[in-house]
Amino acid sequence: MMRQVALDDTLAIAIGAGILGTGGGGSTYLNRLRLNNELRQGERSVPVIRADDVPDDALVCAVGGMGAPTVSNEKLQEGQEIKRAVRALEEHLRQKVYAIVIGEIGGGNALGPMITALQCGTPVVDGDGMGRAFPELDMDTFMIYGAAPAPFALADAHGNVVIFERIGSAKQAEAFARSLTIEMGGSAGLVMPLMTGAELKATVIRHTLSLAKRIGEAVLDCRARSIEPSATVAELCNGVVLFSGKIIDVDRRTVQGFARGKLVISAFDDFNRKLEIDFQNENLVARSAGQVICTVPDLITLVTLEDGEPIGTESLRYGLRVAVLGLPAPKELKTPEALTVVGPRAFGYDVDFRPLPGDLL
Amino acid sequence: MMRQVALDDTLAIAIGAGILGTGGGGSTYLNRLRLNNELRQGERSVPVIRADDVPDDALVCAVGGMGAPTVSNEKLQEGQEIKRAVRALEEHLRQKVYAIVIGEIGGGNALGPMITALQCGTPVVDGDGMGRAFPELDMDTFMIYGAAPAPFALADAHGNVVIFERIGSAKQAEAFARSLTIEMGGSAGLVMPLMTGAELKATVIRHTLSLAKRIGEAVLDCRARSIEPSATVAELCNGVVLFSGKIIDVDRRTVQGFARGKLVISAFDDFNRKLEIDFQNENLVARSAGQVICTVPDLITLVTLEDGEPIGTESLRYGLRVAVLGLPAPKELKTPEALTVVGPRAFGYDVDFRPLPGDLL
């Protein structure tokens, strides 16, 4: 059982979170640098607690970065914006936050909350609301299973903090926060949702921080032994290697606050055997020879072939040699309620979700 | 001195506010119906106080509608949104609001605050922050002369309330609130700024509610005596009738949350003698024969020729017979600080402000 995150752990967690990020969730590189920097101050570590250790009436909040990864890689955080938003909500509600929750375990958003936890002097919960990354803030198990969308807060690098005090629905929260994130320059810090310990326990996907660390450790172990890591990672996550090959085309635009596009990978042994992937911050649908072979909410992740380094959709480029992993989603994302929000039709694809066998956890 | 607003007063105030609105500030028709309805409940009246009657340490807030008048005429208010935003701010600050302030005396925004005052059980202050209407929320004397831009609140017809807790500048507040207003459907209720009594007294343009009533009473008196009201109104406001004629062209679009465009009026006696007016919610620049003859912050107002009814930029249409009034701005809008924010260059016109002689008040 994981009790803390120390400087030695951040590389493994960053790799694992990147793999769970399915192309999105923001850069682990930048947030890992920031987390390491924070951990080095006074030789600290981040206390990690289980969701079940949070008292039912305690206040917790999920935090993360909002915006397109293409933007947040270049428009750096100021560093204190999420803490500032947490403090504003505490002041607004006259209640202290007991623990910080990871909003999405995928990508840099796995690491950011630990920075906030250190800054706020609270532990972080081993778990998250997605078990991966998703592009919209209504797409987490907290919202899907009934947490209140408001109050929540958005903050930017210039010290601006906005509290959404009464909001009708998670979809509405997403629309307002997205529009303001764009006005804030395309990336912002988000504190959402606020929950009681009881609400957290009813909705969180447990142990995903531990999972990210295990995945990263497996990758590092393969690297040390000069083994291509993709099959090992797939096995660890109950998944499969969907494809291996070279990226031969990337069409990507930053539109309405998202990095949207399509990529094509061609097999090494047969140029005409191809895999096409549609993405919207995250990889969403993989097709081969016109057939859909894997869709959201199952995880479609690109890693570099040689060393298993996860590749964000903002870093896709011609010529990269990659393995494509297909990992089954956590069971919490595969209920009928969840599929309405995070199934392929929720993203505008007229295909049914045909799950990979098994569950991520 | 004005002590209250009763049902009998609202027609005169609506006409006067429409004339001070210079084409913007929203429909007086709709807000007058709403105000009358509120006044009829229990035969009430709105208590009116002078700015100088507000204790220095009391909390006051300006309120108004935000958005394009083309939108707010069709997308009706729910009715309680501004009260809801006031209550949210009171709760946030743990302090009751002592009085409601009219954010802009021009157009329907003169009447809305009286509805809020009745709903909140507070008086309204005789004065405002513009002495007219302006398109952006940083364009008032409160902001120009140093009131804090945050916290402020925005609310919509669906019960959503957003508190802007920390905001760097009035310009930033405008950008965030505009973007969210558009996401809210193009119109929203605004509570901004919050001020102490001392701040109010240092920045408000006094007695503009009384002025609106006097202007309206003068128009009604002319109507009763079958006199064209334009010259009387111009004289009452130290202004002039710039032009009389028929609207022969209107080019209007609703872009980025504003009603923007241009209109052309042709003289009755000479079709080729024309007045052109550029507007952005409000009328901003009047030109004749290529010469600029009146610019913002001086007031350029269209009224119907026969009965002096003010014409909003959302109601402009071919064939209307109009008089164009040029009224000098209040002195508070003509300082160097103010002209940086509300002079013609602030709206993108490369012309100097050449003030009409005199002051509105």
Side-chain angles (χ1 to χ4, degrees):
Chain A
M1 192 199 131
M2 200 170 179
R3 294 196 178 277
Q4 60 170 32
V5 170
L7 201 55
D8 287 350
D9 304 319
T10 65
L11 178 58
I13 293 173
I15 294 170
I19 287 173
L20 294 173
T22 70
S27 164
T28 56
Y29 176 74
L30 286 171
N31 267 1
R32 184 174 163 240
L33 288 184
R34 295 180 53 232
L35 175 57
N36 284 353
N37 192 47
E38 202 77 39
L39 284 166
R40 281 197 192 96
Q41 294 175 22
E43 300 180 29
R44 296 195 282 179
S45 65
V46 186
V48 178
I49 60 174
R50 295 178 312 173
D52 298 306
D53 293 335
V54 177
D56 277 354
D57 59 351
L59 181 70
V60 299
C61 63
V63 308
M66 181 150 190
T70 39
V71 173
S72 52
N73 267 7
E74 302 196 1
K75 178 179 172 292
L76 304 185
Q77 288 190 43
E78 176 268 348
Q80 304 278 324
E81 50 264 73
I82 295 181
K83 175 190 173 186
R84 218 177 278 127
V86 171
R87 293 291 186 235
L89 283 169
E90 285 180 333
E91 175 78 7
H92 181 72
L93 294 171
R94 298 116 168 155
Q95 187 176 357
K96 284 283 178 193
V97 164
Y98 180 89
I100 297 289
V101 176
I102 298 169
E104 69 181 348
I105 194 66
N109 268 337
L111 302 162
M114 291 188 265
I115 301 169
T116 308
L118 283 168
Q119 292 174 341
C120 291
T122 64
V124 74
V125 173
D126 186 2
D128 80 307
M130 297 185 173
R132 44 166 293 157
F134 279 124
E136 300 189 13
L137 59 72
D138 52 316
M139 296 173 169
D140 66 35
T141 52
F142 310 132
M143 292 294 108
I144 291 168
Y145 298 115
F152 77 96
L154 205 65
D156 73 8
H158 301 285
N160 299 308
V161 179
V162 179
I163 296 175
F164 295 79
E165 220 280 305
R166 288 174 59 148
I167 299 294
S169 68
K171 255 304 191 218
Q172 185 66 81
E174 161 65 27
F176 286 169
R178 185 70 50 187
S179 136
L180 207 58
T181 294
I182 293 169
E183 193 63 44
M184 283 172 166
S187 73
L190 175 74
V191 181
M192 176 185 185
L194 287 161
M195 292 175 284
T196 63
E199 288 170 326
L200 173 73
K201 289 177 234 182
T203 57
V204 71
I205 303 174
R206 287 167 170 80
H207 312 309
T208 50
L209 181 58
S210 303
L211 175 66
K213 190 177 165 208
R214 280 207 309 281
I215 294 171
E217 285 168 347
V219 170
L220 291 170
D221 181 61
C222 288
R223 285 184 195 172
R225 296 188 290 132
S226 298
I227 304 171
E228 287 183 5
S230 48
T232 306
V233 171
E235 192 179 346
L236 174 64
C237 297
N238 298 322
V240 292
V241 178
L242 293 173
F243 203 84
S244 294
K246 189 177 87 162
I247 297 180
I248 59 162
D249 196 23
V250 179
D251 173 16
R252 181 182 52 220
R253 292 141 292 139
T254 301
V255 280
Q256 299 176 316
F258 293 106
R260 285 207 174 110
K262 187 180 283 249
L263 77 134
V264 184
I265 307 165
S266 171
F268 295 120
D269 53 358
D270 176 2
F271 181 80
N272 290 318
R273 196 161 62 83
K274 289 172 188 164
L275 188 76
E276 288 186 21
I277 298 176
D278 289 347
F279 57 87
Q280 179 179 324
N281 290 11
E282 285 76 38
N283 302 313
L284 297 178
V285 174
R287 288 186 184 84
S288 179
Q291 294 292 310
V292 171
I293 62 166
C294 189
T295 75
V296 68
D298 282 344
L299 287 68
I300 302 167
T301 288
L302 272 68
V303 296
T304 57
L305 197 66
E306 285 71 18
D307 58 5
E309 189 65 24
I311 306 167
T313 52
E314 77 282 7
S315 305
L316 296 168
R317 59 182 173 73
Y318 176 87
L320 280 179
R321 292 158 54 86
V322 301
V324 182
L325 306 173
L327 313 179
K331 61 183 185 308
E332 292 87 343
L333 298 180
K334 295 188 279 196
T335 64
E337 306 100 287
L339 288 175
T340 308
V341 181
V342 299
R345 289 182 202 283
F347 294 91
Y349 300 100
D350 191 21
V351 297
D352 292 322
F353 173 57
R354 271 192 255 147
L356 297 170
D359 295 319
L360 185 63
L361 278 164
Chain B
M1 192 200 130
M2 201 170 178
R3 294 196 176 277
Q4 61 170 33
V5 170
L7 201 56
D8 287 351
D9 303 318
T10 64
L11 179 57
I13 293 171
I15 293 170
I19 287 172
L20 294 173
T22 70
S27 163
T28 56
Y29 176 75
L30 286 172
N31 267 0
R32 184 174 162 242
L33 288 183
R34 295 179 54 230
L35 175 57
N36 284 354
N37 192 47
E38 202 77 39
L39 284 166
R40 281 197 191 97
Q41 293 175 23
E43 299 180 30
R44 295 194 284 179
S45 65
V46 186
V48 178
I49 59 175
R50 296 178 312 174
D52 299 306
D53 293 335
V54 177
D56 278 354
D57 59 352
L59 181 70
V60 299
C61 63
V63 307
M66 181 149 191
T70 39
V71 173
S72 51
N73 267 8
E74 302 194 3
K75 178 179 170 294
L76 304 184
Q77 288 189 41
E78 175 267 350
Q80 305 277 325
E81 50 265 74
I82 295 181
K83 175 190 172 186
R84 218 177 278 127
V86 171
R87 293 291 186 236
L89 283 168
E90 286 180 332
E91 175 77 7
H92 182 71
L93 294 171
R94 298 112 162 151
Q95 189 178 356
K96 283 284 177 191
V97 163
Y98 181 88
I100 297 289
V101 176
I102 298 169
E104 72 181 346
I105 194 66
N109 268 337
L111 302 163
M114 292 187 265
I115 301 169
T116 307
L118 283 168
Q119 291 174 341
C120 291
T122 64
V124 75
V125 174
D126 186 3
D128 80 307
M130 296 185 174
R132 46 166 292 158
F134 279 124
E136 301 190 12
L137 59 72
D138 51 316
M139 297 175 167
D140 66 34
T141 53
F142 310 132
M143 292 294 108
I144 291 168
Y145 297 115
F152 77 95
L154 205 63
D156 74 8
H158 301 285
N160 298 307
V161 179
V162 179
I163 297 175
F164 295 77
E165 221 279 307
R166 288 174 60 148
I167 299 294
S169 68
K171 257 294 189 228
Q172 185 66 82
E174 161 64 28
F176 285 169
R178 185 71 51 189
S179 136
L180 208 57
T181 293
I182 293 169
E183 193 63 44
M184 284 172 165
S187 73
L190 176 74
V191 181
M192 179 188 183
L194 287 162
M195 293 176 284
T196 64
E199 289 171 325
L200 173 74
K201 288 177 233 181
T203 57
V204 70
I205 304 174
R206 287 169 170 78
H207 312 309
T208 49
L209 182 58
S210 302
L211 174 67
K213 190 179 165 205
R214 280 207 309 282
I215 295 171
E217 285 168 347
V219 170
L220 290 170
D221 181 60
C222 289
R223 285 184 195 172
R225 296 188 291 131
S226 298
I227 303 169
E228 286 183 5
S230 50
T232 305
V233 171
E235 193 179 346
L236 175 64
C237 297
N238 297 323
V240 292
V241 178
L242 293 172
F243 202 84
S244 294
K246 189 177 87 162
I247 297 180
I248 60 163
D249 196 23
V250 179
D251 174 15
R252 181 182 53 221
R253 291 139 294 140
T254 302
V255 279
Q256 299 176 316
F258 294 107
R260 286 206 174 111
K262 187 181 282 249
L263 77 135
V264 184
I265 307 165
S266 171
F268 293 121
D269 54 358
D270 177 1
F271 181 81
N272 290 317
R273 196 161 62 81
K274 289 173 187 162
L275 188 77
E276 288 186 21
I277 298 175
D278 289 348
F279 58 87
Q280 180 178 326
N281 289 11
E282 285 75 38
N283 303 312
L284 296 178
V285 174
R287 288 187 184 83
S288 180
Q291 294 292 310
V292 172
I293 61 167
C294 189
T295 75
V296 70
D298 283 344
L299 287 67
I300 302 166
T301 289
L302 272 67
V303 297
T304 57
L305 198 66
E306 286 73 18
D307 58 6
E309 189 65 24
I311 305 168
T313 52
E314 77 282 7
S315 305
L316 296 167
R317 59 181 172 74
Y318 176 87
L320 280 178
R321 293 159 53 86
V322 301
V324 182
L325 305 173
L327 314 178
K331 61 183 184 309
E332 292 88 343
L333 299 181
K334 294 188 280 196
T335 63
E337 305 100 287
L339 287 175
T340 307
V341 181
V342 299
R345 288 182 203 284
F347 294 92
Y349 300 100
D350 190 21
V351 296
D352 292 323
F353 173 55
R354 273 192 252 145
L356 296 170
D359 295 319
L360 185 65
L361 277 165

